[in-house]
Amino acid sequence: MEGAVERRSGRSTRDPSFRSETLRDRDRILYSDSFRRLGGVTQVAIGDPSMALHNRMTHSLKVEQVGFSLYSKLTAQPSDVDADPDAIRAACLAHDLGHPPFGHAGEQELDRLVVCPEHREGPRTFERRAADPCPNCLLEDGFEGNAQSFRILTALAVHRESPGRPIGLDLTRRSLAATTKYPWTRGTSGRKQSKWGGYDCDAGALEWALGSTDADPTLDAQIMDWADDISYAVHDVEDFFRASLVPVDDYKSNTETLDILLEYVESPRALGPLTGEVKDALTSMLEFFPAARFSGRTEDLAALDRLRGVLLTQFINAASVDAQALVREPIQERLNSILKQLIWFHIIDDPTLSNIQAGQRRVLREIFEALRPVAEEAYGSGGTEPPGEQALRRLPYGLRRAIGVGLSQESGYTLRQKIVRGLLDYIAGLSDSEAYHLHAVLRGREHAGQLHRN
Ligand SMILES: [Zn+2]
């Protein structure tokens, strides 16, 4: 990669501990506030909170481990594989930074709040959005977890003070490219409509990191992506089996249970029909599933450990590189998807979670609706009037900081768009419990110093 270790600030300092530039990036992410916050963000908020299940921080640490194992596997033989182990580690630690409170439900709700129904169904191109802003969209480039991660790394996170222009953690080009699974701004169709890696206000940084606002993911990024798929499937199954929410043992002993799952998995809205080969591989995989409910006995722990080891090894070994692109054995890729479907079937599509999520969406919506008028008043989004002191004092520090980043950033945004982006940045940066708490405060149900601390 050309200029791979360049930083956007142009700064370069000699590292006294002889770390590589991309290892320095990885360490900056590990020590960032945004990484620390991941300890308070759940993957799927369900189950007994006392059970110490995975959160997004423990998940990210395991993705880093799997990413490094993948790198080691892919470069075990002398080869011309162009992967950077430290950029991969950086990307693995950073990949979930932009996840708002309450997982996917939170992500959808924040997007829904700022994009009008017409443009949610049919987004327009970057150029059209900029040239002819929609009067009904607050932000037509919406909200997306991956774009949010990129914004944290390149603008919101604080590494050093940089008056005049926010630079985030000021990572190298190589590491930024590695963190970007979807190196484009919001697109108009297919995958580019539902997933994107940079907002319109961050298009300059995206272009700097990848050379374009519509690029292909680098090999480092593809390795991070597969490491994420592997960890997510394996650790979720482990968590929900421990919590007795996924009866893994039943699948082994009861063919009827398996048939019901397969019916779900093979439906058109899930994976569609599976080949005989995939089903055979699934049967072989089930051999390693624990035979009894988890109750914390030594044999339960050993069975779980064995299952985890088998699955991780199998998925890591399924990877190879061809022409600097990651290749995954199709059968193993399918098995990985089936494990994820197991979680959808038992957890995500379950009515209990639907009700919890409806409440969580409401929490985010009401925070947004309560703070938006105050923020607009404070910053005078009507035009030229000076910021309203009175209103400014009602805004949490975190929100003022986020809006401040948008205001000092060169982008095509209007003042109102900058304020709304700042509000989304602030809400997306809350932990699950901070969101619940802030909501209670704003609705007059609790009083606390919360608003001032954040
Ligand atoms: Zn619109």
Side-chain angles (χ1 to χ4, degrees):
M1 251 178 108
E2 199 67 28
V5 297
E6 242 176 272
R7 298 180 190 279
R8 204 159 176 230
S9 66
R11 275 189 203 138
S12 65
T13 34
R14 231 160 50 96
D15 185 68
S17 59
F18 304 100
R19 292 172 301 172
S20 71
E21 290 299 314
T22 46
L23 184 57
R24 294 172 69 189
D25 292 340
R26 179 260 176 203
D27 294 348
R28 280 183 199 181
I29 294 163
L30 181 69
Y31 283 93
S32 69
D33 260 32
S34 303
F35 188 77
R36 190 161 61 166
R37 162 189 172 264
L38 293 180
V41 184
T42 49
Q43 200 94 325
V44 180
I46 195 169
D48 177 355
S50 68
M51 282 209 49
L53 303 177
H54 285 92
N55 55 49
R56 289 203 183 262
M57 183 194 281
T58 53
H59 164 69
S60 299
L61 290 167
K62 289 176 177 179
V63 175
E64 187 196 23
Q65 187 274 328
V66 174
F68 190 75
S69 296
L70 275 170
Y71 169 82
S72 307
K73 192 264 169 188
L74 296 171
T75 55
Q77 308 297 330
S79 71
D80 61 351
V81 171
D82 180 21
D84 178 324
D86 298 325
I88 294 168
R89 295 174 69 194
C92 291
L93 287 184
H95 83 285
D96 262 354
L97 291 180
H99 267 277
F102 313 138
H104 192 54
E107 188 180 21
Q108 279 179 331
E109 186 61 22
L110 293 180
D111 189 58
R112 213 191 54 81
L113 283 168
V114 296
V115 184
C116 78
E118 184 193 341
H119 292 132
R120 210 178 310 140
E121 291 303 315
R124 301 182 299 167
T125 59
F126 175 82
E127 290 76 19
R128 289 285 306 283
R129 292 194 288 268
D132 172 30
C134 164
N136 303 321
C137 284
L138 291 171
L139 281 173
E140 204 177 321
D141 51 340
F143 182 89
E144 209 270 335
N146 292 282
Q148 193 66 26
S149 298
F150 188 77
R151 181 160 174 73
I152 289 170
L153 295 174
T154 56
L156 296 170
V158 176
H159 171 57
R160 299 262 195 279
E161 283 197 80
S162 63
R165 187 177 71 157
I167 51 168
L169 295 182
D170 196 24
L171 303 184
T172 63
R173 224 180 219 133
R174 177 100 199 200
S175 296
L176 275 179
T179 60
T180 313
K181 283 197 280 188
Y182 312 106
W184 48 81
T185 51
R186 186 171 219 173
T188 55
S189 62
R191 221 159 77 104
K192 295 191 177 180
Q193 173 174 350
S194 55
K195 299 274 191 185
W196 61 103
Y199 300 121
D200 294 356
C201 56
D202 300 317
L206 192 62
E207 191 162 6
W208 177 82
L210 283 128
S212 152
T213 53
D214 193 4
D216 293 316
T218 61
L219 177 59
D220 296 339
Q222 295 171 44
I223 293 173
M224 173 270 277
D225 197 7
W226 183 228
D228 185 24
D229 280 342
I230 295 175
S231 307
Y232 170 49
V234 174
H235 301 130
D236 267 8
V237 168
E238 180 181 341
D239 270 1
F240 294 123
F241 172 62
R242 275 176 192 262
S244 298
L245 293 168
V246 175
V248 164
D249 49 307
D250 257 16
Y251 285 107
K252 194 167 174 167
S253 55
N254 188 342
T255 48
E256 259 170 56
T257 325
L258 185 60
D259 289 343
I260 296 168
L261 174 74
L262 283 177
E263 198 180 310
Y264 175 89
V265 171
E266 293 194 283
S267 73
R269 63 174 287 257
L271 301 182
L274 302 172
T275 63
E277 263 180 313
V278 171
K279 287 184 186 172
D280 289 346
L282 178 62
T283 311
S284 315
M285 186 171 79
L286 289 175
E287 288 301 308
F288 294 99
F289 275 39
R293 279 288 143 102
F294 185 85
S295 51
R297 297 166 303 174
T298 306
E299 55 265 42
D300 296 340
L301 292 167
L304 209 48
D305 195 64
R306 177 158 164 264
L307 174 66
R308 187 197 311 122
V310 166
L311 293 177
L312 289 175
T313 307
Q314 171 174 335
F315 291 137
I316 288 168
N317 286 336
S320 57
V321 172
D322 181 37
Q324 304 302 345
L326 190 75
V327 181
R328 295 168 293 185
E329 279 172 29
I331 291 180
Q332 295 304 323
E333 201 176 2
R334 230 40 188 159
L335 288 180
N336 183 267
S337 305
I338 294 172
L339 287 179
K340 288 183 180 174
Q341 289 293 322
L342 196 64
I343 306 303
W344 277 88
F345 180 57
H346 286 286
I347 311 285
I348 301 178
D349 275 355
D350 187 273
T352 321
L353 186 63
S354 313
N355 285 321
I356 295 173
Q357 288 186 332
Q360 294 174 331
R361 287 170 196 267
R362 184 168 159 193
V363 164
L364 297 189
R365 184 165 65 243
E366 290 180 354
I367 293 175
F368 182 84
E369 283 165 357
L371 291 177
R372 193 184 135 216
V374 192
E376 291 190 344
E377 192 190 328
Y379 289 92
S381 78
T384 51
E385 64 263 44
E389 272 303 317
Q390 200 70 13
L392 201 54
R393 246 178 277 135
R394 284 177 54 201
L395 294 183
Y397 284 123
L399 177 52
R400 294 189 220 177
R401 194 175 65 235
I403 294 175
V405 168
L407 292 177
S408 62
Q409 215 178 5
E410 264 179 53
S411 68
Y413 276 179
T414 62
L415 177 58
R416 191 176 79 166
Q417 289 175 323
K418 288 179 179 180
I419 293 169
V420 174
R421 177 60 70 202
L423 182 52
L424 288 188
D425 289 339
Y426 171 67
I427 296 175
L430 300 169
S431 67
D432 292 357
S433 63
E434 279 174 334
Y436 278 126
H437 190 96
L438 176 59
H439 181 249
V441 171
L442 290 170
R443 292 186 47 126
R445 294 210 177 113
E446 258 181 77
H447 76 285
Q450 179 78 8
L451 281 181
H452 298 285
R453 274 210 323 274
N454 267 296

